[in-house]
Structures are given as structure tokens and as C-alpha cells.
Amino acid sequence: MIRKLCYIVVLVLFATACNSTKFVPEGDLLYTGATVKVVKDSNITNKQRKLLQAKLKEIPRPLPNKKFLGVRYKLFFYNLAGEPKKEKGFRHWLKTSLGEAPVLFSQVDLEYNRSLLQNFSENNGYFNTRTSADSTRHGRRATAEYKVNAGKQYKIKSVEFPSDSSVIGKAVARTYKRGSDKTTGRQNIKDKKAKPGRVRSLLKVGDPYSLDNIKLERKRIDTRLKEKGFYYFNEDYILVQVDSTVGKYEVDLKVKVKDEAPVAAKTPYKINRIIIYPNYSINNDTMKTYEKYKDLRIIGNDGLFKPRVWDRTLYFKRNDLYNRTNHNLTLNRLVNLGTFKFVKNQFKESDTIGNYLDAYYYLTPLERKSIRVEILAKTNSANYTGSELKINWSNRNTFHGAELLTISTFGGVEVQLGGKNNGFNVFRYGGEASLTWPRFISPFRLKSSSGFVPRTNATIGYEFQNRMKLYSLQTFKGSFGYGWKEDVRKEHQLNITEISYVRPQNVTDLYQEQVDLNPSLKHVIEKQLIFGPTYYFTYTNEMNQRRKNTFYYKGGIDLSGNIAGLVTGADIKKGDTIKIFDIAFSQFVKIQNEFKHTYKFNKTSLLKSRIIIGAAFAYGNSDEIPFSKQFFIGGTNSLRAFRSRSLGPGSYDGSNEVSEFIPDQSGDVKLEFNTEYRTDIYKFIKGALFLDAGNIWLINKDIDKPGSQFTKDFMKDIAVGIGAGLRFDFSFLVLRTDLAFPIRKPFLPNGQRWVLDEVNFGSGSWRKSNLLFNLAIGYPF
């Protein structure tokens, strides 16, 4: 059987290879690629030769048709489609989407590619390089062949920066290294003795000559000068002279400012007037009113904004030296206020004596007040589907200081689609009011130096939730805290306090009967009072689309009742439970971490992985974590081969519980790992293969849940599931379908937990017990 299969594969590959030139025009050849060989020579080392050859191989164009396992698969589909009669239909889609036209030898310019190889070699210091190009024909195919005889690589002997006493000369000289002479700016550098740790320049003695490094050095110098007031300077005014006659295979580099650079480019400028148009419109005359505040001139404000808004947002002050960093930070902050539709900035030479710039800021506000109505379709990991109506009213400039006031109300219904019985539907309604100030509000002076406006947030909310046939919950919430970003990657969220009060009511006899059979259900309907600070830190570089590897991390700590417990000496183990408003407040520490990694194979496929690690510990006034703060696992965004909250804790088998509705298994410790390969299939359709693993555990032993405690053998309790899915990415909405099944069940006896050998898609009973379909909106992580 295996031998026959091999014969078939060989025949298919042979037929494909024979068919690859089917649509190559008469008189032309199929281009199958290029070889670049750096000739072995005593002028360069073997390591240099291999490195240079690897880089040169990427240069020749065009690229041949792509191959996989020796088959030009895109060309195969192109030929298979033939000549479709219409510009639509399956054959046209096969030819244009999966197929690729043959790359012809007539498209190859041998001399042009040879010159590219020559230039690349010389630009990297191999000055005496000789290159040649040729081609070889094999039937109706042809390859290009390039030979490179590289000369010995030149290295930098010395670097000389300007040593004259001009303003621009001193400024350029100071960019060479940290701690340069700020009085004379003398940097006549033939600098083999310079301390490496202090050198800023990319041009270093002993390094190979590189034209790319010279270009980057010009950009670096220009960037440094922009920080020192040289507003009109640009990198084209920098000249790096190369002298290759100074020694054997060595060059001297001399950095200078071009003589033809204009006077304005060689002059540092300071800020004179700062003019702000806070209500700018090209259709209206905004010059009617004028207001002066400190160094600012505010035109056309008409009481719209308090002047101190600009004092906190703008980095420039009168007589400050122009600085590109402050320029960009100011623009970022104005945009980040979230109050303006358009932000435009302009610098003009001032009409005063001296070298001054006037800074103009033209700001077009958004509508101050707005109302938005949303109707949402929802699915969640607990197998509920429903809709929600949400009304939001916003005021973007509540107290004329760019404050944002948002008041929202909502109402919705969710219908249970899983469980032993249906009918336990959920009705929710409530409201929330939040006020955000674009600054720190604190008795202490706090200041953020980033381009992102720090925010102070105050929120208060109420929600009523009615679970039909079971119980109702009223939840009151409030918080006060700060949010700020260090830069585009790092973000902090500190809530000085978060208060949550949960009050149950209308508990039915049905639910009470279930509590008597399963005591863990009583935690859901207990009164809860949670208050204390929380802190979260987020780091991500996922916004960089060009990186092959991107990372995301979010970590946080939740502290509830710790100061109150310390002050009152609360100790539930001694019976000293402290109550506030006749409710025992919760005291615990909760830490959680989430790591994400993305590896991009190419533009159409990637591997995304996630790790979640969390733990919560109750002490003092509490002997267990409040239900709303515990960890859960399973469902559409977690372990997709297990229903939400049905797994764990540990090796405990929750299916044995006598319950009329979906279980709510929870834990104090959580460990979860997910990895998913995603690839484009067709336009908006993407496919995925995934593996999920993890579980939750209790810190304390529970005699009603054997095997639920977290121990050193926790890895034996890990559940594993695998599956595949489709993502319909409509840009405004991602509809996700996943089909998953378990391959490791921790609730089975030891030695029987791996169940991969039991997988049987042809068995109806196996599919009913194991195969789980998930329908969700958005990506799982």
C-alpha cells in the first residue's frame, strides 16, 4: 500500500513538472531562479564569504514561481485553471487567487542584477569586487548565474567630526559622543582610544565600511540637531567624505556640513509667540476674540476651554529652544485629549529681532455633546446567546477643561443554549456614570512627561440581573483611580479604590434545593462587599506590523480589605469576623498574569500563543475568595473542548454533581495555555488549528470536591483539547466558529486520562460526548 502511494506521488510530481511550461509563450523560457556564488579567494575569510553570499542571494529579481516540496504549486493551479471564458466563477478564482502566472526568462535583466550585486558589495566595503552574469537553459527552462569575486573588505581607520568654532560645527561635533566639550565643541577625532560606552556615532574605528551606516549616521545627526533648535536642518546637509588612499584596505571618514547649506539650516531657533485657535474652522472668522494667558495667545476661544488646559498640554514655553521631542509630544497630547476632530500645527519665523519661531496650533473640536444607541448581538463562554440595547450620552468638555462625562443605560436578555434543561434565561438592566479628567487629580503634584495625557477616572454603576427560576442579584460598583501611559508600549492603571457590593434576592426553592445538594453553589448568592486598590500594567509591541515576533503582557494585583483587616485585627479563624453594614467584607490578594506571543510566518499566516497564570489567596476576614473574583476556565475564549465553567477544579469531576443547570466550577489558582495557527483561506475567510490546555484548582482542601486542591503534582490535572475553526473577518465584525474535542480529561482515573486513541469521528456517541461546537464573535485571544 505504501509503495503504491509513493508511485502515485511520484507520478503526480512528474505530471506537474511536465505541465509547468504549458502557458510559457513560444520563443520564451520559464525562469526557475538564480544562483549567486562568491568565489573562494584569499582576499576574504570563509566566514565573510558565506555571509556576503547569503545577503547577495536575496538581491536578484524577479523571483521565480514559489515552490513547496519541489512543486511550483501556484503555477500548477494557474495551469490547471486553463483559460476561463469569464472573469468570474470557480476557474477564474482558481487562476487569480490560488494561481500565479509563469515568471518568464524575458523578464530577467542580467546586467541590471549584476550591477546591483556589484553596488551592494562596494557599499559594504568590498571595493575591488568583480562580478559577472550568465544563464543556462534546460529544455524550456532557464536559470541565471552570477559570480562575485570579492576584494578585501575595507575598514574604518579614523572618523573626523567638525572642529571649527561655528555654531553648527560645534553642534555636529557634540553629537559624536556623550560628554563632548560643550565650550569649544572640539572633536577632531581619530579616536581609537574613545570609550566605547560613550560613543553615540554609528561610525566606529575598526568597523567595516558601510554606506547604509553612513546614511543612518546622517539621520542620527539630523535627529540630534532637531533637539537643539535647528528647525530648518535636514540630513541632506550632512556630507561624509571617504578617503580610501590612507592605508591598505582602510578608509578615513570626515563628517562635515555642506558649504551650500542655507544659513537658516545652520541656525538654532527659539520659541517666541505661541498662538492657539481652540475653535478653528476654515469657514468661520475665528479672529474676533483674543485672550492672553501666561505665554499663550488664545484666539476665538469664547469661553469654550479654560486656558489652563493648554498650559498643561503644551510643552513649549516662550524662549525655549526648539525641540523636536517637545514638538511631537505636544501634538500627541492634543490628539490624546479626545476632544478635537483635527489638530494642525505650524511654525513660522517670527517678525521679532533674533532667531525665533512662532508656534501656531489650529484645533477643530468634535461635537461637545453626543448620544449613541447600540443594539448588540452577544454570545459568551457560558453558552448564552442574546441581545442588548445600550444608550450612551457623552459630554466631551463638561467643565471646560476637556473632561469627558459619560452616562449610559443598558438592558438585555440572554438565552441559555446548553445544559440539562433550558429556560434559565438572564435579564439584565442597569446604568453607569463615569467622569474622566485629562490630568492627575491628587493632593500631591504628579506629572507625566510622556506624549499621552494622564487621566483620572471616577465611575459609579448599578446592575440588576435576574436569572429566571433561580435568583436575582443587585450589584453596586464604584471606583476612583488613574490611567497613564509611559509611551506607546507601556500603560498603567491604578485604582485607589474599587468598591463592589452584591446583594442577592428572590432566591427560588429550586436553587435552594440545588444548594443543599451542592454546597459550592451557595457562594453565588452570598452577600459580598469588596473594596480595595487594584493595579494593572500592560506592555505590548503588537502595533509594529513589520515585526515577525510581537509580545503582549498584562499583569495585575487586586487587594481587597487589607488595610481594614489590618486595622481591625480581623481573623475569621478565631471567629473575629468584622462586618460593615452587617456584611463581612472580603479580604484577599489576587494576582494574575497574561502573556501573548505572535510569530508571523508571512503576510497570510501566523502562530499566536497565550499563557495565563493567576492565583488568589483569602485571609484575615475571609476564608475563601468571593465568587465574582475567582477564576473560571473552559468555553469559547478558553479551553474550547470543554464547556464554560464545567472543568475542574483539579481532577474533580463536576458532571457528577446533581444540578438542573450548567455548573459554575471556580478556583483560586489558574493555569492556561493556548496556541493557534491562523492562515488566510480566501479573502475574508481565515482558518485556524488550535491546542488549548490548563485547569483551575482550590488552595484549600474541599472534602466535597476530592482532587480539587492545588499540589506539587498539579501537572497531572492538566486538561488538553484540540480543534479547528473558521474566522469570517468582515473588518467591522469577526464571526468565529470552532470545532474542538478533548484529548486529555483530568477527571478520569490516573493512567486513563489521555484519550487520543478513543477519537472516532464516525461514532455518533463519541461525537455527542466529545465534539463541541463554539460560535463566537471576535478572536479568542
Side-chain angles (χ1 to χ4, degrees):
M1 181 65 184
I2 295 176
R3 183 178 297 178
K4 290 181 179 179
L5 185 60
C6 291
Y7 286 151
I8 293 172
V9 171
V10 170
L11 287 173
V12 170
L13 292 175
F14 180 75
T16 302
C18 292
N19 197 41
S20 61
T21 59
K22 180 178 179 180
F23 288 98
V24 174
E26 195 65 35
D28 210 335
L29 303 171
L30 178 68
Y31 176 60
T32 57
T35 60
V36 179
K37 182 178 181 181
V38 178
V39 179
K40 290 185 179 180
D41 193 283
S42 58
N43 288 328
I44 61 175
T45 65
N46 197 43
K47 181 179 179 181
Q48 286 177 314
R49 183 183 65 81
K50 290 180 178 180
L51 184 62
L52 178 62
Q53 184 166 282
K55 292 179 179 179
L56 293 175
K57 281 182 177 179
E58 300 174 1
I59 294 176
R61 291 293 184 272
L63 296 174
N65 296 106
K66 293 180 180 178
K67 289 197 300 184
F68 180 72
L69 297 178
V71 176
R72 301 185 191 280
Y73 59 96
K74 288 198 169 186
L75 182 58
F76 168 76
F77 287 119
Y78 182 90
N79 293 336
L80 185 64
E83 297 289 352
K85 296 179 180 179
K86 299 179 181 179
E87 292 189 359
K88 59 182 180 179
F90 176 74
R91 290 181 66 189
H92 180 264
W93 171 81
L94 186 66
K95 186 169 186 174
T96 57
S97 298
L98 297 183
E100 180 182 71
V103 179
L104 305 176
F105 186 68
S106 59
Q107 300 171 246
V108 180
D109 189 333
L110 293 173
E111 178 57 27
Y112 176 72
N113 281 332
R114 186 204 64 78
S115 66
L116 290 179
L117 299 176
Q118 179 80 24
N119 291 340
F120 182 88
S121 302
E122 292 178 351
N123 291 343
N124 284 275
Y126 300 97
F127 289 148
N128 300 317
T129 294
R130 300 187 305 277
T131 56
S132 62
D134 203 349
S135 62
T136 301
R137 175 173 179 170
H138 303 279
R140 298 198 64 193
R141 299 173 183 79
T143 58
E145 297 164 355
Y146 303 95
K147 283 188 178 181
V148 178
N149 196 325
K152 191 174 179 66
Q153 190 176 34
Y154 280 64
K155 294 188 176 181
I156 299 174
K157 182 181 181 182
S158 67
V159 181
E160 183 178 342
F161 270 60
S163 58
D164 60 272
S165 59
S166 65
V167 174
I168 187 65
K170 290 179 181 179
V172 173
R174 289 175 187 148
T175 68
Y176 179 76
K177 65 178 182 178
R178 298 178 181 89
S180 299
D181 186 344
K182 295 185 179 180
T183 304
T184 65
R186 294 180 62 190
Q187 288 291 338
N188 188 359
I189 305 162
K190 295 192 175 180
D191 195 9
K192 293 184 179 180
K193 296 182 180 179
K195 294 181 180 179
R198 299 178 62 198
V199 174
R200 285 195 182 106
S201 175
L202 302 175
L203 308 177
K204 295 182 173 63
V205 173
D207 283 0
Y209 169 85
S210 169
L211 181 61
D212 286 341
N213 276 354
I214 289 176
K215 292 178 180 179
L216 291 173
E217 177 70 357
R218 294 170 66 206
K219 288 183 179 180
R220 187 194 67 83
I221 293 172
D222 175 51
T223 301
R224 296 291 301 173
L225 293 181
K226 288 292 195 303
E227 300 296 304
K228 302 298 181 182
F230 293 89
Y231 176 76
Y232 291 104
F233 197 87
N234 71 63
E235 62 190 77
D236 291 334
Y237 299 143
I238 290 287
L239 176 66
V240 180
Q241 295 177 328
V242 182
D243 185 354
S244 60
T245 65
V246 294
K248 195 172 183 180
Y249 306 114
E250 291 180 312
V251 295
D252 281 346
L253 301 181
K254 184 176 182 180
V255 181
K256 60 179 293 187
V257 179
K258 291 180 179 178
D259 296 334
E260 59 268 27
V263 173
K266 297 185 283 187
T267 305
Y269 282 79
K270 291 184 177 181
I271 302 298
N272 184 28
R273 294 179 298 176
I274 303 172
I275 302 101
I276 302 168
Y277 295 84
N279 194 18
Y280 178 77
S281 172
I282 59 175
N283 299 319
N284 297 324
D285 181 6
T286 58
M287 301 294 290
K288 292 180 180 179
T289 60
Y290 169 86
E291 182 180 359
K292 194 172 190 314
Y293 179 79
K294 296 185 178 180
D295 294 332
L296 309 175
R297 296 186 181 189
I298 307 168
I299 299 174
N301 187 35
D302 294 327
L304 185 60
F305 292 96
K306 294 177 181 177
R308 63 182 183 181
V309 172
W310 319 118
D311 190 44
R312 287 193 298 260
T313 306
L314 274 63
Y315 274 79
F316 284 122
K317 301 288 186 273
R318 189 182 181 93
N319 289 319
D320 281 356
L321 200 63
Y322 170 81
N323 179 290
R324 175 60 63 84
T325 297
N326 288 345
H327 176 172
N328 292 333
L329 287 175
T330 297
L331 290 177
N332 285 345
R333 280 186 163 235
L334 288 170
V335 172
N336 197 240
L337 280 174
T339 309
F340 301 104
K341 187 190 304 182
F342 301 112
V343 175
K344 183 182 178 182
N345 167 236
Q346 190 175 18
F347 288 91
K348 299 179 182 178
E349 283 199 58
S350 183
D351 56 6
T352 188
I353 297 174
N355 304 314
Y356 286 93
L357 297 171
D358 291 337
Y360 292 81
Y361 294 93
Y362 305 95
L363 313 173
T364 304
L366 292 159
E367 289 292 331
R368 181 176 176 183
K369 297 177 182 178
S370 64
I371 189 167
R372 186 174 76 247
V373 179
E374 299 176 352
I375 299 178
L376 308 175
K378 300 172 59 180
T379 65
N380 65 29
S381 59
N383 304 294
Y384 279 86
T385 299
S387 63
E388 181 178 280
L389 174 66
K390 193 171 186 179
I391 302 174
N392 294 286
W393 178 86
S394 299
N395 186 332
R396 291 187 176 86
N397 192 23
T398 309
F399 305 117
H400 303 282
E403 302 89 354
L404 174 63
L405 173 64
T406 302
I407 298 175
S408 63
T409 61
F410 64 90
V413 59
E414 298 172 12
V415 179
Q416 186 188 63
L417 298 180
K420 297 181 179 180
N421 284 322
N422 294 327
F424 302 112
N425 303 330
V426 180
F427 294 89
R428 300 169 58 249
Y429 65 83
E432 183 178 273
S434 66
L435 180 60
T436 301
W437 294 266
R439 62 187 184 276
F440 287 123
I441 296 180
S442 167
F444 311 103
R445 185 174 178 82
L446 301 173
K447 188 175 180 181
S448 171
S449 59
S450 80
F452 298 90
V453 176
R455 302 190 185 278
T456 301
N457 306 297
T459 302
I460 186 169
Y462 167 80
E463 177 181 333
F464 179 82
Q465 182 183 112
N466 180 24
R467 290 184 174 261
M468 297 295 292
K469 304 181 183 180
L470 303 177
Y471 56 83
S472 300
L473 292 177
Q474 292 190 82
T475 303
F476 301 86
K477 291 184 178 181
S479 66
F480 179 85
Y482 309 105
W484 71 98
K485 296 182 76 169
E486 287 185 49
D487 51 43
V488 71
R489 295 181 177 86
K490 301 173 187 174
E491 184 174 0
H492 305 263
Q493 181 66 48
L494 172 64
N495 282 337
I496 301 301
T497 185
E498 280 189 13
I499 302 173
S500 179
Y501 169 55
V502 181
R503 186 177 71 183
Q505 62 184 48
N506 303 325
V507 179
T508 66
D509 292 338
L510 171 62
Y511 193 83
Q512 192 59 56
E513 290 172 4
Q514 300 302 309
V515 169
D516 295 338
L517 297 171
N518 182 10
S520 66
L521 294 176
K522 77 178 188 304
H523 303 316
V524 181
I525 55 171
E526 289 178 334
K527 287 185 178 181
Q528 298 174 23
L529 178 60
I530 305 168
F531 59 88
T534 63
Y535 170 74
Y536 290 90
F537 169 74
T538 303
Y539 171 87
T540 180
N541 60 4
E542 291 183 327
M543 71 292 296
N544 191 336
Q545 298 297 319
R546 292 178 295 179
R547 294 179 66 99
K548 290 185 75 71
N549 288 280
T550 58
F551 299 90
Y552 171 94
Y553 167 74
K554 184 175 183 180
I557 184 168
D558 190 343
L559 305 172
S560 177
N562 292 278
I563 295 177
L566 182 65
V567 171
T568 60
D571 189 345
I572 195 172
K573 293 180 180 179
K574 296 181 180 180
D576 299 329
T577 304
I578 306 300
K579 295 185 177 181
I580 300 177
F581 303 119
D582 201 33
I583 305 171
F585 65 85
S586 297
Q587 187 175 355
F588 63 86
V589 176
K590 180 180 180 181
I591 300 174
Q592 47 192 331
N593 299 276
E594 181 179 9
F595 307 84
K596 295 180 187 177
H597 172 253
T598 303
Y599 178 79
K600 298 176 182 177
F601 295 100
N602 48 51
K603 292 182 179 180
T604 61
S605 60
L606 58 86
L607 181 70
K608 188 134 191 170
S609 303
R610 176 180 68 176
I611 297 176
I612 298 175
I613 302 173
F617 176 71
Y619 68 103
N621 209 48
S622 302
D623 60 356
E624 58 189 13
I625 307 298
F627 182 78
S628 61
K629 292 291 184 176
Q630 286 190 301
F631 295 105
F632 305 92
I633 202 164
T636 56
N637 296 325
S638 182
L639 270 67
R640 284 159 280 186
F642 300 86
R643 294 197 180 278
S644 176
R645 305 188 178 190
S646 65
L647 179 65
S651 60
Y652 173 69
D653 187 357
S655 65
N656 292 328
E657 291 182 354
V658 180
S659 177
E660 297 294 327
F661 36 87
I662 290 178
D664 273 330
Q665 301 298 348
S666 58
D668 308 322
V669 178
K670 181 176 182 178
L671 178 62
E672 182 176 336
F673 169 76
N674 315 92
T675 188
E676 182 170 288
Y677 173 75
R678 301 172 187 169
T679 187
D680 291 357
I681 296 178
Y682 172 66
K683 292 184 179 179
F684 61 88
I685 303 176
K686 304 177 187 295
L689 299 172
F690 56 83
L691 181 146
D692 303 320
N695 208 334
I696 53 174
W697 294 265
L698 298 176
I699 286 182
N700 298 318
K701 188 174 182 179
D702 186 341
I703 58 174
D704 293 322
K705 295 186 176 182
S708 62
Q709 188 177 18
F710 184 79
T711 67
K712 62 181 179 63
D713 296 322
F714 69 93
M715 288 299 294
K716 295 181 179 179
D717 298 336
I718 295 294
V720 183
I722 59 175
L726 294 174
R727 288 88 176 89
F728 301 90
D729 193 340
F730 302 105
S731 68
F732 64 91
L733 171 72
V734 177
L735 182 65
R736 173 164 54 93
T737 60
D738 288 326
L739 199 60
F741 58 92
I743 61 172
R744 193 175 196 277
K745 300 177 180 180
F747 46 81
L748 295 179
N750 276 322
Q752 301 177 27
R753 294 179 176 178
W754 285 103
V755 293
L756 188 58
D757 58 339
E758 298 177 9
V759 174
N760 184 0
F761 292 100
S763 168
S765 61
W766 180 89
R767 292 196 305 270
K768 184 177 180 180
S769 301
N770 295 275
L771 209 54
L772 197 61
F773 176 74
N774 294 279
L775 176 65
I777 296 173
Y779 289 100
F781 55 89

